[in-house]
Amino acid sequence: MSEPSQSPGTGPLLELDSIRQVFHSTRESVVAVKDVSLNVGPGEVVCLVGQSGSGKSTLAKIAAGLRRPTGGQVRYDGKDVYDRRNRRAWKTFRRGVQYVHQDPYASLNPIQDVYTILSAPLLEHKLVKGADEAEQRVRELLLEVDLKPADRFISLFPHQMSGGQRQRVAVARSLTLNPKVILADEATSMLDVSIRIGLLEMLTRLRVDRQVGMLFITHDLAMAKFFGAEGTMAVMRHGAVVESGPTLDVIERPQHPYTQALLEAVPEPDPDLAQQKRAARRLQEATA
Ligand SMILES: Nc1ncnc2c1ncn2[C@@H]1O[C@H](COP(=O)(O)OP(=O)(O)OP(=O)(O)O)[C@@H](O)[C@H]1O
């Protein structure tokens, strides 16, 4: 965002400062992200919206440490994560910021059952002592993502679950390392609307209860409004943020023509409200 936001009383956890990403090929260079700055604080929700190709996923990968940007600084807990003199900063960042992918089929190993998927990071990072404690923690994680009773899910493989259940396992895995920030990159776009709402409600509960910061990346303004109503929103176009601010302000009083065009594309189920919105827009155009 042009003016990085900050949670009251606490510093931001994740800071993206003037991030720039250029992709070079033999024929051309694409500037996928142009000097974008945004912050995510504890328990805060930040929505990044834009159409396909606007640079959202590239920025999300940079925010998760999956790609090092061409320019700008990524800070976690106030520290430059690429500071060679401070390798601990990188490790703390990689544990603290977890990425939930759009397609759980692609991110969950198909030959591992739920227990293995969730216990592996716990054991690898020595967050549990032995198999009994690992199983206990796996059961707690399943309850946390509403996959209950845990017995029903713990031995299943990804193909034996629905899309929504798989995405909940992906969220549970992201929770294994007790992250402070979760990046959800179109994490609900492959799901039916009712399943999507359930997943977003669960993510909101995690945000509020655990004070996990959420960066929610989506092309869907209706979902951003639903999930991010209490937070801020940045609208990306051609790699740059064209508008940002409190989510409801941006949605109810869009200033940039691109945001207005994106909102036009969201179907309004209430015909009276649709009529009012058209009249308000005509008035705005006439007085502009
Ligand atoms: N590895 C890459 N090499 C070259 N160009 C890339 C690469 N990754 C992304 N791009 C380009 O950068 C721009 C932004 O892509 P990006 O995937 O970040 O957009 P997006 O908003 O996430 O779109 P989508 O929702 O379709 O993934 C596009 O022009 C894309 O073609």
Side-chain angles (χ1 to χ4, degrees):
M1 269 170 249
S2 48
E3 278 302 310
S5 62
Q6 194 157 324
S7 304
T10 53
L13 277 169
L14 177 64
E15 295 171 86
L16 303 180
D17 189 359
S18 305
I19 298 296
R20 184 172 177 81
Q21 179 67 53
V22 186
F23 291 114
H24 299 285
S25 72
T26 44
R27 268 181 291 152
E28 55 171 4
S29 296
V30 175
V31 187
V33 180
K34 297 174 191 158
D35 297 320
V36 172
S37 297
L38 63 84
N39 296 341
V40 185
E44 196 179 28
V45 53
V46 178
C47 294
L48 192 60
V49 301
Q51 284 171 317
S52 182
S54 57
K56 311 179 297 292
S57 291
T58 303
L59 192 66
K61 289 194 183 103
I62 290 168
L66 303 174
R67 172 175 289 287
R68 184 172 181 168
T70 320
Q73 201 174 58
V74 180
R75 289 188 294 275
Y76 180 73
D77 222 1
K79 299 187 182 68
D80 174 5
V81 305
Y82 292 107
D83 182 352
R84 284 171 189 238
R85 292 157 305 175
N86 185 1
R87 299 307 296 162
R88 186 186 287 264
W90 170 254
K91 284 191 180 162
T92 315
F93 162 63
R94 288 299 308 236
R95 267 174 79 151
V97 179
Q98 294 292 318
Y99 185 79
V100 178
H101 194 269
Q102 172 175 22
D103 178 6
Y105 246 138
S107 63
L108 299 179
N109 189 335
I111 59 164
Q112 288 183 340
D113 64 7
V114 168
Y115 172 75
T116 310
I117 290 169
L118 297 180
S119 61
L122 294 172
L123 292 163
E124 192 188 321
H125 288 267
K126 299 190 173 52
L127 294 171
V128 288
K129 289 191 212 87
D132 286 351
E133 209 179 309
E135 185 174 334
Q136 174 61 26
R137 184 73 191 114
V138 166
R139 287 174 182 278
E140 286 166 12
L141 285 163
L142 288 174
L143 294 184
E144 223 171 332
V145 296
D146 292 332
L147 288 177
K148 48 194 171 193
D151 276 336
R152 208 182 120 208
F153 295 96
I154 200 162
S155 314
L156 295 185
F157 289 84
H159 73 272
Q160 295 172 310
M161 290 180 283
S162 70
Q165 290 166 347
R166 274 196 293 274
Q167 199 55 303
R168 283 171 192 269
V169 173
V171 173
R173 189 183 51 183
S174 80
L175 294 175
T176 51
L177 303 186
N178 293 316
K180 304 246 173 70
V181 177
I182 290 181
L183 308 179
D185 187 2
E186 299 279 8
T188 61
S189 60
M190 295 177 79
L191 306 172
D192 289 346
V193 171
S194 60
I195 311 259
R196 209 183 284 183
I197 301 284
L199 199 83
L200 291 178
E201 283 171 346
M202 182 199 83
L203 288 173
T204 299
R205 201 187 62 222
L206 291 174
R207 176 174 72 77
V208 174
D209 292 355
R210 282 180 170 240
Q211 284 294 290
V212 176
M214 298 269 172
L215 180 59
F216 183 65
I217 293 113
T218 182
H219 65 281
D220 186 336
L221 275 158
M223 282 298 134
K225 183 178 179 186
F226 179 79
F227 186 61
E230 293 171 355
T232 51
M233 175 189 276
V235 181
M236 268 187 100
R237 184 189 189 213
H238 297 330
V241 170
V242 296
E243 181 163 4
S244 64
T247 299
L248 294 183
D249 284 359
V250 174
I251 287 183
E252 281 156 23
R253 286 176 290 282
Q255 301 297 313
H256 195 280
Y258 178 68
T259 318
Q260 290 163 2
L262 281 182
L263 281 161
E264 298 260 338
V266 178
E268 175 55 69
D270 179 342
D272 290 341
L273 207 54
Q275 167 74 20
Q276 279 172 26
K277 280 188 178 175
R278 277 197 296 275
R281 266 197 303 272
R282 276 198 297 275
L283 187 66
Q284 205 175 16
E285 279 161 17
T287 53

